[in-house]
Amino acid sequence: MQWQSILLEKRNGVGLITLNRPQALNALNSELISEINQALDQLEKDREIGCIVLAGSEKAFAAGADIKEMADLAFPDIYLDDFFHLADRIAQRRKPLIAAVSGYALGGGCELALMCDFIYCADNAKFGLPEITLGVIPGIGGTQRLTHAIGKAKAMEMCLTARQMGAVEAEQSGLVARVFTKEELLEQTLQAAEKIAARSLTANMMLKETINRAFEVNLTEGLRFERRMFHSIFATFDQKEGMQAFVEKRKPNFKNQ
């Protein structure tokens, strides 16, 4: 299909979605969120795709939500339409999803990155939730996911003061997994994604679900869920293949079965 706000590529088992609204620094609007979800729908159904990367430009991953689209909205409409509810679907995807953040990831852009399973960023990255300067608050999960990622004190300070966090502090705080130069970022992210995609998709998806469960239930329930998922994976071909390949000292040939 013809995309208006994104670019979509497939390479070596990886789906690459690139935000493509350069005139608006990739600001999120309804069309962009819709196209991201349409692309993710395609990639989720494609058994050849084992990992997905979400990227922007060197200057901006996404510099916020499109304020022009929201400025004239009133409470009854924004509430009844559940504005931005489609964004929730991005975080609910089952395949591993990596954000490659270069430049600005502010407001909705920061929230979009936080929806991914982990973030790689460039050394020029700037993260922030400056909604308070507009008289509003984050509305796509920012207050919740940022607090889970970096703790109450830093999340509260960033949201109330609108301070932006640089790449070094973001890595030290646990917001991002690794930092690269902006020239290296995409290639390093794709390399990690290809490594993930080469493994058992079934195991990857079960692993993602199990780690995410740690944020939703208490420790006892989380341990019980992990144990049951561990037991369940012994019903798969990939478990037999992976362990047999280890015994035979060869590379496994996973079939996502």
Side-chain angles (χ1 to χ4, degrees):
M1 62 179 296
Q2 295 296 314
W3 306 103
Q4 302 300 315
S5 300
I6 66 167
L7 303 173
L8 177 61
E9 303 175 54
K10 300 178 184 180
R11 56 169 90 174
N12 300 323
V14 175
L16 172 60
I17 302 172
T18 304
L19 309 185
N20 188 37
R21 295 190 71 214
Q23 74 284 0
L25 294 179
N26 294 331
L28 306 186
N29 63 3
S30 298
E31 179 182 74
L32 177 57
I33 292 174
S34 176
E35 290 195 355
I36 292 172
N37 273 310
Q38 290 176 59
L40 287 171
D41 287 342
Q42 289 188 21
L43 297 172
E44 286 267 282
K45 293 175 183 177
D46 189 341
R47 289 291 184 91
E48 299 299 316
I49 299 297
C51 189
I52 303 167
V53 172
L54 191 60
S57 67
E58 284 192 1
K59 187 174 182 179
F61 175 73
D66 194 328
I67 305 304
K68 293 179 181 179
E69 184 179 58
M70 295 187 290
D72 294 329
L73 296 177
F75 172 74
D77 293 329
I78 200 168
Y79 176 75
L80 292 173
D81 293 341
D82 198 6
F83 193 72
F84 273 147
H85 72 281
L86 289 177
D88 296 337
R89 295 189 60 229
I90 298 170
Q92 295 164 359
R93 300 300 174 158
R94 299 178 69 199
K95 291 182 178 179
L97 180 59
I98 308 172
V101 174
S102 182
Y104 294 108
L106 305 177
C110 184
E111 292 175 298
L112 178 61
L114 285 165
M115 292 178 196
C116 298
D117 296 308
F118 63 87
I119 303 169
Y120 280 172
C121 79
D123 51 15
N124 70 335
K126 293 288 185 182
F127 298 89
L129 293 174
E131 285 86 347
I132 197 69
T133 64
L134 303 178
V136 296
I137 67 172
I140 323 178
T143 62
Q144 306 305 298
R145 294 191 178 96
L146 185 66
T147 305
H148 275 303
I150 66 176
K152 177 184 174 181
K154 279 188 176 289
M156 189 74 79
E157 184 243 5
M158 285 181 67
C159 289
L160 287 175
T161 68
R163 180 177 72 86
Q164 296 178 16
M165 178 181 283
V168 173
E169 184 183 0
E171 184 179 28
Q172 293 173 343
S173 300
L175 178 59
V176 307
R178 298 183 67 186
V179 179
F180 303 97
T181 67
K182 63 183 180 181
E183 293 80 14
E184 297 175 319
L185 174 64
L186 186 57
E187 187 58 37
Q188 290 289 339
T189 306
L190 289 171
Q191 285 182 22
E194 289 172 11
K195 185 181 295 186
I196 292 169
R199 297 184 178 134
S200 168
L201 179 58
T202 306
N204 281 339
M205 291 168 66
M206 292 176 76
L207 181 59
K208 171 176 175 173
E209 185 176 359
T210 304
I211 292 174
N212 283 336
R213 187 59 64 96
F215 291 97
E216 300 165 357
V217 300
N218 61 40
L219 179 60
T220 299
E221 290 301 316
L223 290 171
R224 183 177 292 115
F225 183 80
E226 177 191 80
R227 191 64 46 78
R228 292 296 173 258
M229 293 293 270
F230 173 75
H231 292 162
S232 298
I233 208 165
F234 277 73
T236 67
F237 168 88
D238 285 346
Q239 173 270 324
K240 303 294 186 295
E241 170 62 13
M243 290 191 168
Q244 191 62 37
F246 178 84
V247 172
E248 297 174 0
K249 298 181 179 179
R250 61 176 174 81
K251 185 177 180 180
N253 180 27
F254 294 123
K255 295 185 178 179
N256 301 329
Q257 298 176 355

